[in-house]
Amino acid sequence: MFDYLLNEKQKQLKQEARDFVKTIPRQMILDMDADKIRFPREFLQEAGRRNLMGCRYPEKWGGRGMDWVSTCMVMEEIGVLGYIFACTFGVGAELVCDAIVLHGTDAQKEKYVKPLLKGEIFAAECLTEPRGGSDFFGTTTTAVDKGDHFVLNGQKRFIVGGEGADFFLVYAKTDPDAEPRNGISCFIVDRTDGVETKYLYCLMGCRGGGAARMVFKDVKVPKENRVGGLNQGVKVFNTMMIPERLGTAAMTIGAAVPAVDIATGYTSKRKAFGRPVAQFQGVSFQVAEAVTLLDAARAMIYTTARAVDAGIHDKQIRRLVSESKKFVTESCQKAVHNAMQVMGGIGYTNIYPVERIFRDLRLASIWTGTNEVMAMIIANEWYKAYWKDKSAGKIRDMEEDAQESLAADEKIFE
């Protein structure tokens, strides 16, 4: 129903994504959830062959020269297959590519971006470390300058694609004496000597994505594989927060849609007390709430995507992206909860995929920055914007719009 926001080129891309989703065999979905498939190479290869990955990047590097609205639309469609499909799709084609396209050299784009978007090679982003997740600037991974190369040592964990990636985007400390924000650099690290996939995690959901702990021991990284300036990894990190969090939110909608769709069909057919259970308000109102949440989530996604495309001020985008990630992921989790609830006991079994979707979407509010971190960012940016506008006299002083607003003795703050 949101197609009115899309132009004809975007509508065509949406249909291409839907056509692709239809080709994915049921057995692949089941085998990934059973961890029989550790990394979906064939899925990514076919997505690349169809030129569906990285649609917002320049055609010169393998994209389609489109925008964030198009990207969010594609991510939602891919998410219908399952959250992990969208995760693996987005990690390489959105997160890693974004860093290289925005901050890398033409040589890096030619060597890594073009074949990645074609589905010929695979990539993973290495951010989280064993000692902490959201504390990005507390990284203990190091890269020591040795003249014509760096020597990288450290560990990263919960790395989606760690099992199947051919190269990794790794953040490491390059100036141990600098303030944390000013001493980190970003590197492209090929799977070579010293790079080891040490441990594959047994996950509650989102299985089959090769989530691993990566160990880097005395890895030689050529100087030309540094992305962005020396000790300026924070600049790469800041731009990547958009695809990490906005992309996560968009794909969550797609992953929740099948649960609501299945619940709608089930409650229309399932009878109790002589009539379809959908005729009982206790059921239909929960479906109505789920549908409303999904539509509200889409509205927020498209609004934020358009703001990013329009180049709105960084601080406002930071808040909008954080709001989107928090609101959309929590709304989708609630929508899936409702879907399972109205289906009753059968929804808790593997007769329907709702139980898998429920498990998969639990990750949405945890990864790419927990929703508690999103709330912290939202509050911080909101308060700063409030006092900036207040000080500049840009908004009406609404505090005075009360009968006794001048009762100064009643306004005690300390």
Side-chain angles (χ1 to χ4, degrees):
M1 64 175 293
F2 282 73
D3 281 5
Y4 66 88
L5 294 173
L6 307 177
N7 59 38
E8 289 306 313
K9 187 177 179 181
Q10 290 168 328
K11 290 176 183 177
Q12 176 58 38
L13 177 59
K14 181 176 183 176
Q15 189 57 53
E16 289 181 43
R18 285 189 168 182
D19 290 342
F20 169 56
V21 166
K22 290 178 184 177
T23 70
I24 302 304
R26 163 183 177 270
Q27 196 59 47
M28 178 180 287
I29 297 173
L30 299 179
D31 286 348
M32 286 181 68
D33 190 46
D35 267 335
K36 293 179 180 178
I37 294 177
R38 293 297 185 89
F39 185 74
R41 288 179 176 81
E42 293 80 5
F43 161 74
L44 293 173
Q45 287 168 344
E46 183 62 17
R49 190 186 71 78
R50 292 173 181 247
N51 194 26
L52 291 173
M53 297 196 288
C55 67
R56 62 193 166 88
Y57 301 123
E59 293 181 13
K60 179 180 180 180
W61 307 119
R64 297 194 184 204
M66 298 178 77
D67 55 15
W68 259 109
V69 169
S70 307
T71 297
C72 288
M73 175 267 295
V74 170
M75 294 303 293
E76 177 181 344
E77 294 300 327
I78 297 298
V80 169
L81 284 169
Y83 204 51
I84 191 57
F85 284 90
C87 291
T88 54
F89 181 97
V91 163
E94 298 300 330
L95 304 187
V96 175
C97 277
D98 212 65
I100 301 174
V101 169
L102 293 179
H103 301 277
T105 65
D106 283 357
Q108 290 171 346
K109 296 169 193 175
E110 186 72 34
K111 183 177 179 180
Y112 295 102
V113 172
K114 288 180 71 173
L116 194 154
L117 294 182
K118 288 180 180 178
E120 296 172 351
I121 60 175
F122 314 109
E125 178 201 27
C126 293
L127 201 61
T128 301
E129 296 195 355
R131 61 167 297 279
S134 297
D135 184 13
F136 167 73
F137 298 108
T139 180
T140 59
T141 299
T142 61
V144 179
D145 192 336
K146 294 294 184 180
D148 64 341
H149 67 276
F150 288 87
V151 173
L152 183 75
N153 281 282
Q155 295 188 29
K156 305 286 183 176
R157 73 170 174 179
F158 306 146
I159 307 305
V160 174
E163 169 74 0
D166 298 293
F167 73 94
F168 305 86
L169 194 74
V170 182
Y171 293 89
K173 189 178 292 294
T174 44
D175 185 350
D177 299 322
E179 289 293 320
R181 286 179 172 269
N182 302 318
I184 295 173
S185 300
C186 181
F187 299 92
I188 296 170
V189 181
D190 293 306
R191 188 181 285 278
T192 185
D193 292 342
V195 177
E196 185 179 1
T197 303
K198 192 72 173 179
Y199 182 80
L200 281 177
Y201 292 97
C202 181
L203 305 177
M204 172 182 169
C206 285
R207 300 165 184 160
R213 175 160 55 90
M214 301 300 304
V215 177
F216 302 95
K217 186 175 181 180
D218 297 330
V219 181
K220 289 185 177 181
V221 182
K223 275 284 177 69
E224 59 266 27
N225 276 27
R226 191 185 71 224
V227 179
L230 181 65
N231 300 321
Q232 294 184 26
V234 63
K235 293 183 178 179
V236 183
F237 173 79
N238 284 341
T239 57
M240 287 184 69
M241 289 304 97
I242 295 176
E244 273 217 335
R245 291 163 182 175
L246 185 55
T248 286
M251 70 175 71
T252 310
I253 299 173
V257 163
V260 178
D261 181 83
I262 291 165
T264 301
Y266 181 85
T267 56
S268 298
K269 294 179 287 187
R270 178 74 161 90
K271 290 185 177 180
F273 308 104
R275 55 181 173 150
V277 296
Q279 294 182 12
F280 295 96
Q281 291 180 346
V283 171
S284 63
F285 282 12
Q286 291 200 61
V287 174
E289 181 185 35
V291 172
T292 302
L293 287 170
L294 292 184
D295 281 343
R298 286 191 185 93
M300 177 168 272
I301 285 295
Y302 279 114
T303 299
T304 303
R306 285 195 168 187
V308 176
D309 287 331
I312 302 300
H313 190 272
D314 285 350
K315 295 297 184 182
Q316 187 175 352
I317 289 298
R318 179 174 158 88
R319 193 185 95 218
L320 285 173
V321 168
S322 299
E323 287 172 349
S324 295
K325 199 271 181 178
K326 184 178 190 302
F327 175 80
V328 173
T329 56
E330 291 174 2
S331 295
C332 290
Q333 288 171 340
K334 181 64 167 70
V336 175
H337 165 87
N338 285 17
M340 179 177 283
Q341 191 69 21
V342 298
M343 291 179 69
I346 198 72
Y348 195 66
T349 73
N350 64 0
I351 302 298
Y352 291 93
V354 176
E355 65 85 22
R356 171 178 55 78
I357 297 168
F358 190 93
R359 286 186 285 110
D360 286 351
L361 258 62
R362 188 60 187 87
L363 175 65
S365 55
I366 297 174
W367 85 315
T368 67
T370 66
N371 282 10
E372 288 73 24
V373 170
M374 297 304 102
M376 181 178 67
I377 294 171
I378 294 163
N380 185 52
E381 297 302 336
W382 171 256
Y383 274 96
K384 286 194 296 186
Y386 169 85
W387 284 111
K388 181 180 179 181
D389 289 346
K390 195 81 169 178
S391 300
K394 290 184 178 181
I395 57 178
R396 176 184 177 86
D397 189 350
M398 293 166 282
E399 187 178 313
E400 295 182 358
D401 296 337
Q403 185 67 40
E404 298 294 328
S405 62
L406 300 180
D409 290 346
E410 294 300 321
K411 295 182 178 180
I412 302 170
F413 302 110
E414 295 182 359

